[in-house]
Amino acid sequence: MANYRRLWFTLIAVLAITFALLGYFGAEVYRAAPPIPERVVSETGELLMTKDSILDGQTAWQSVGGMQLGSIWGHGAYQAPDWTADWLHRELVAWLDLAAWDTYDQPFDALTGAQQNQLNYELNQAYRTNTYHPDSGELVLSERRIEAIRSTAGYYSKLFSDDPALQPTRANYAMKENTLPDAGRRQQLTEFFFWTAWAASTERPGSDATYTNNWPHEPLINNEPTAENVVWSVVSIILLIAGVGGLVWAWAFLSRHDDRDPEAPRKDPLTSFALTASQKALGKYLFLVVALFTFQVMLGGFTAHYTVEGQSFYGINVSEWFPYSLVRTWHIQSALFWIATGFLAAGLFLAPIINGGKDPVYQKLGVDVLFWALVVVVVGSFIGNYLAIAQIMPAEWNFWLGHQGYEFVDLGRLWQIGKFTGIAFWLVLMLRGIVPALRQPGDKNLLALLTASVVAIGLFYGAGFFYGERTHISIMEYWRWWIVHLWVEGFFEVFATTALAFIFCSMGLVSRTVATSASLASASLFMLGGVPGTFHHLYFAGTTTPVMAVGATFSALEVVPLVVLGYEAWENWRLKQRAPWMENVRWPLMFFVAVAFWNMLGAGVFGFMINPPISLYYVQGLNTTPTHAHAALFGVYGFLALGFTLLVLRYIRPGLVFDERLMKTGFWWLNAGLVLMLATSLLPIGILQFLASAGKGLWYARSEGFMQTDLLQTLRWVRTFGDVVFIVGALAVTWQVVKGLFFPTLKEEELPVAAAAADQT
């Protein structure tokens, strides 16, 4: 460790400081979360709703798909409205009309400008004034506001039923008929929507901003960006520029440029070991990866089509059985499952290599058990999702067996426990190969870092258990982003970087010193911005200014290493020229090059596009977010998982020859399809929505009237071209993996090697 002492101390210090920030300001999230009143009452003391009924509404919202059907506080799906912004605007308009009739005996639109200005002033005072009494836990509402709430609730009760008058609206929102059949639960649902809008319109005590930092943009009550929002946005941009400059200077002056690559071996060192039984058993993992990948891609096209036909698929009404909220749930969950499976397979392939080319005892049994456990979790969670959204599952079972309602962690809690147990079991299988190797003499720094990333992946998914069915949504969001951001974008990133470095080092293509130093430095950079950068998802989730400050500051630093990844891409690309046998893994290398490109564009450019508070204020909940999500989730982790899959396939099928036509089609059509999807549809729609949001408010940018305009309808239809190109690429990669597993084409000179490896296992 002595040669890497400074790098290790830097990484440890970064982790200590950043997790201290994450924990300290996490306590602030708990302390400052918008209160859920014990009782909501009228000025005369009439009971309107309670904390329990509001939380019952939250569970009702979860049962219909939650964030997969519209969004709350900007987090969720993009076809239906953001329910917070939509409810707030409808309630404000209802209040103004009631006030106009009460005061002038005319509708609001018929008033003079001076009369409207007077009522707008009264509206602002009525809504931004906080009438919550913390001592008694009561929220007191005026009679006029209660009437406006009841009017708005009546609309929502009809919308979530099968009322014929609102059928066209449900179609435009991609909602199935009778989304929530129980009238009592619909009433509770409206109470939850009201509470989220109340928190977004009422000033926090001691502040001139609302509980959600004046989000969403709503001109009627002067919901505008705060001064702190602007200041910390400027700070984040300055830090980004400074960080990129500092990284370039550090690389130029501090890195060693005289390190020479070791002489490449004449033969691939990874083929010097006979395949172990556990490695041969990984074929079914690779099949599961491409099976779920194909399923996810097809569902993606299906889901996208719902945005133009609403309840139909080319004229066939399928929403009764497979509504938008369900197929979007499956689309996202299957992506997480196949990407995670690709990573698990890569780790399990490395474990025997780390262990000196042999399996720990019963390793194959463990690999088989883990695989079937994964299958059970996938199938069980998908069935649970279906039964929940179909409203077949009893309400009290929904959270545990059906649908949690939270994007990326939609699976029922029981299946979530099963997934965590599987990941923990994978950790055990990995450590059984790693721990004996750590005890051997020699430089184990790279292996130690790989071990740390494996442990983090195994344990940090458990952050999802720190919230429950009725947990305050601000607190839930804090822990949810530990999984979506910290677990995925943080520790998986470190594991991927270190695993690739370990593989290339084991191949004899890069020196152990260079691989170790680069991995330690990369881990520090990723964690420095990535850990506290988690807060950039929480600017408007009921948190305070310090959370915004930390999130804006560190999320800028998170982008720094991503915008200079062209050099990493070139480093990976040049490895194919280091030895003739590297031609065998040229296509996995190509996928790793794509990872670097999309890390720069999808995670870096498109990520920072929505990261500064002033930007996210206007674009949270718009199609700018899926622009980043598609480019980063598939572009980075999808290509990485497919690269790992192809790499493992090449080694567990010795002598396999990749089909050049299939691989060229798969690689280039996937990239081209992703570019077309983003450039011709998602990004243009997001930009148009941004203009609408900045001009009239978020409610309008997500409204039926705006989203159904001819231009936006056309742009959603245009996405079909990119989707088709992408699907062709996906099918080509899938067929290559299936063909490689079951019908491998082998090089003639390597047939004896393959036969010998098969005989030994």
Side-chain angles (χ1 to χ4, degrees):
M1 178 176 174
N3 295 332
Y4 310 102
R5 190 181 304 274
R6 182 176 61 181
L7 290 170
W8 274 111
F9 283 162
T10 299
L11 177 57
I12 292 169
V14 164
L15 290 173
I17 294 170
T18 54
F19 272 101
L21 288 170
L22 191 64
Y24 180 82
F25 289 102
E28 173 75 1
V29 174
Y30 275 80
R31 185 190 67 79
I36 303 177
E38 293 293 335
R39 292 159 46 89
V40 180
V41 298
S42 69
E43 292 173 331
T44 60
E46 177 190 359
L47 181 64
L48 304 172
M49 57 189 85
T50 66
K51 181 176 182 178
D52 283 340
S53 66
I54 291 171
L55 290 176
D56 285 340
Q58 179 175 303
T59 65
W61 166 70
Q62 292 166 348
S63 73
V64 298
M67 291 179 177
Q68 303 297 354
L69 183 65
S71 57
I72 291 290
W73 289 349
H75 294 299
Y78 310 99
Q79 183 63 13
D82 180 88
W83 303 117
T84 302
D86 190 69
W87 175 288
L88 178 59
H89 186 76
R90 290 179 183 279
E91 186 186 326
L92 295 176
V93 170
W95 191 98
L96 286 172
D97 265 334
L98 289 168
W101 282 107
D102 289 344
T103 308
Y104 301 106
D105 201 29
Q106 296 183 76
F108 182 79
D109 289 342
L111 303 182
T112 66
Q115 292 170 332
Q116 289 184 346
N117 286 340
Q118 175 61 33
L119 291 185
N120 278 328
Y121 174 79
E122 293 178 15
L123 175 77
N124 194 294
Q125 295 299 306
Y127 274 77
R128 295 191 71 89
T129 300
N130 196 330
T131 58
Y132 171 71
H133 303 286
D135 293 340
S136 64
E138 285 190 343
L139 171 63
V140 181
L141 301 177
S142 68
E143 292 301 322
R144 183 178 292 163
R145 184 163 187 180
I146 292 170
E147 196 172 345
I149 290 169
R150 286 172 175 162
S151 172
T152 308
Y155 164 80
Y156 275 98
S157 291
K158 292 178 181 178
L159 180 65
F160 281 80
S161 72
D162 55 0
D163 187 291
L166 290 179
Q167 190 280 327
T169 299
R170 281 190 291 275
N172 289 333
Y173 289 164
M175 297 173 62
K176 73 185 183 76
E177 294 300 299
N178 221 9
T179 302
L180 188 57
D182 188 287
R185 300 195 79 203
R186 287 199 298 270
Q187 174 59 35
Q188 293 167 343
L189 177 71
T190 65
E191 294 179 12
F192 173 64
F193 286 171
F194 156 75
W195 174 80
T196 68
W198 171 80
S201 60
T202 300
E203 292 181 358
R204 185 185 292 274
S207 170
D208 58 359
T210 70
Y211 285 105
T212 57
N213 285 314
N214 281 1
W215 186 94
H217 180 218
E218 177 52 81
L220 285 177
I221 54 170
N222 293 330
N223 259 13
E224 305 284 351
T226 62
E228 293 86 355
N229 184 309
V230 177
V231 168
W232 288 109
S233 298
V234 173
V235 169
S236 71
I237 294 170
I238 294 171
L239 284 174
L240 173 64
I241 297 171
V244 172
L247 182 61
V248 172
W249 276 71
W251 181 85
F253 285 95
L254 299 180
S255 61
R256 297 178 60 183
H257 300 285
D258 57 347
D259 284 329
R260 294 184 178 180
D261 291 327
E263 184 178 347
R266 293 183 178 180
K267 184 179 179 181
D268 185 349
L270 296 187
T271 62
S272 63
F273 303 106
L275 284 173
T276 68
S278 72
Q279 287 176 320
K280 287 211 309 177
L282 294 175
K284 53 183 171 288
Y285 281 77
L286 307 187
F287 180 78
L288 182 62
V289 167
V290 293
L292 285 173
F293 173 47
T294 303
F295 180 66
Q296 186 238 341
V297 169
M298 295 301 181
L299 282 178
F302 191 11
T303 306
H305 191 79
Y306 264 141
T307 66
V308 291
E309 282 202 71
Q311 295 178 330
S312 303
F313 187 76
Y314 293 102
I316 303 172
N317 188 348
V318 292
S319 65
E320 182 179 349
W321 301 281
F322 301 103
Y324 173 87
S325 56
L326 176 66
V327 295
R328 190 176 189 271
T329 298
W330 284 352
H331 174 64
I332 292 177
Q333 285 301 305
S334 55
L336 297 180
F337 278 128
W338 75 258
I339 289 172
T341 303
F343 276 70
L344 299 186
L348 293 172
F349 174 75
L350 286 177
I353 295 173
I354 295 169
N355 195 41
K358 58 184 183 298
D359 275 339
V361 63
Y362 299 123
Q363 184 79 352
K364 180 183 181 300
L365 176 62
V367 168
D368 290 340
V369 169
L370 176 59
F371 173 80
W372 292 110
L374 285 172
V375 171
V376 169
V377 169
V378 171
V379 174
S381 64
F382 282 10
I383 292 174
N385 295 152
Y386 178 86
L387 295 176
I389 291 176
Q391 296 292 300
I392 296 173
M393 181 174 289
E396 60 272 18
W397 293 6
N398 175 74
F399 184 80
W400 284 93
L401 295 175
H403 202 300
Q404 288 192 39
Y406 299 129
E407 197 175 26
F408 294 104
V409 282
D410 305 272
L411 68 174
R413 177 54 56 88
L414 179 66
W415 311 115
Q416 186 183 13
I417 292 172
K419 186 175 180 179
F420 174 74
T421 303
I423 295 169
F425 186 56
W426 172 79
L427 170 60
V428 171
L429 294 176
M430 291 295 298
L431 291 179
R432 293 173 78 240
I434 291 173
V435 171
L438 286 171
R439 293 172 178 164
Q440 300 299 316
D443 181 359
K444 301 300 178 186
N445 286 272
L446 183 59
L447 183 57
L449 181 61
L450 179 64
T451 305
S453 67
V454 167
V455 171
I457 288 173
L459 298 181
F460 271 83
Y461 184 73
F465 301 134
F466 284 90
Y467 64 84
E469 181 178 13
R470 299 170 74 85
T471 297
H472 191 295
I473 194 169
S474 296
I475 295 169
M476 179 283 302
E477 284 286 60
Y478 172 69
W479 291 112
R480 183 174 76 95
W481 287 108
W482 271 58
I483 297 176
V484 182
H485 179 95
L486 185 58
W487 185 63
V488 175
E489 297 183 41
F491 294 115
F492 266 106
E493 190 88 53
V494 174
F495 170 78
T497 300
T498 310
L500 283 176
F502 188 89
I503 291 170
F504 294 147
C505 179
S506 299
M507 287 177 167
L509 301 174
V510 296
S511 71
R512 186 169 296 275
T513 300
V514 170
T516 304
S517 299
S519 297
L520 284 167
S522 297
S524 295
L525 285 172
F526 287 134
M527 293 293 100
L528 177 63
V531 176
T534 304
F535 284 126
H536 80 256
H537 300 283
L538 303 177
Y539 294 153
F540 313 117
T543 58
T544 52
T545 298
V547 171
M548 180 186 293
V550 173
T553 300
F554 284 92
S555 64
L557 297 177
E558 185 181 8
V559 177
V560 168
L562 303 180
V563 298
V564 291
L565 284 177
Y567 182 77
E568 178 185 315
W570 179 80
E571 285 284 328
N572 288 340
W573 171 252
R574 75 181 183 88
L575 290 177
K576 72 183 184 65
Q577 301 172 338
R578 296 274 290 115
W581 48 264
M582 279 298 291
E583 181 64 23
N584 295 332
V585 292
R586 176 168 63 91
W587 283 110
L589 279 180
M590 288 289 289
F591 278 75
F592 298 146
V593 170
V595 169
F597 171 78
W598 287 107
N599 231 334
M600 178 275 295
L601 182 62
V605 177
F606 291 151
F608 193 73
M609 175 179 71
I610 64 176
N611 270 7
I614 190 64
S615 174
L616 197 61
Y617 180 84
Y618 291 110
V619 304
Q620 180 159 290
L622 305 184
N623 275 267
T624 46
T625 301
T627 298
H628 160 62
H630 282 78
L633 183 59
F634 178 77
V636 178
Y637 297 100
F639 271 117
L640 189 57
L642 291 176
F644 279 144
T645 298
L646 293 170
L647 188 68
V648 173
L649 173 65
R650 178 62 186 82
Y651 284 108
I652 67 172
R653 292 293 183 267
L656 170 69
V657 177
F658 286 119
D659 186 315
E660 284 295 306
R661 185 175 181 181
L662 279 178
M663 292 311 303
K664 286 180 180 178
T665 301
F667 179 80
W668 292 112
W669 285 54
L670 282 175
N671 279 282
L674 187 54
V675 168
L676 287 171
M677 188 189 310
L678 301 175
T680 65
S681 183
L682 287 176
L683 186 56
I685 291 173
I687 292 172
L688 292 172
Q689 284 185 298
F690 170 43
L691 293 172
S693 175
K696 294 187 178 181
L698 178 67
W699 70 271
Y700 178 67
R702 291 279 296 274
S703 69
E704 182 181 12
F706 180 75
M707 292 298 291
Q708 298 306 314
T709 58
D710 291 342
L711 176 57
L712 267 71
Q713 279 284 77
T714 300
L715 287 173
R716 289 199 293 274
W717 272 109
V718 166
R719 178 175 167 174
T720 305
F721 294 105
D723 285 351
V724 169
V725 171
F726 192 89
I727 288 170
V728 171
L731 292 176
V733 172
T734 295
W735 178 239
Q736 172 63 89
V737 173
V738 172
K739 183 180 176 184
L741 287 171
F742 302 107
F743 319 104
T745 302
L746 304 177
K747 292 183 180 179
E748 290 186 10
E749 65 272 19
E750 298 201 30
L751 283 172
V753 177
D759 290 341
Q760 292 178 20
T761 54

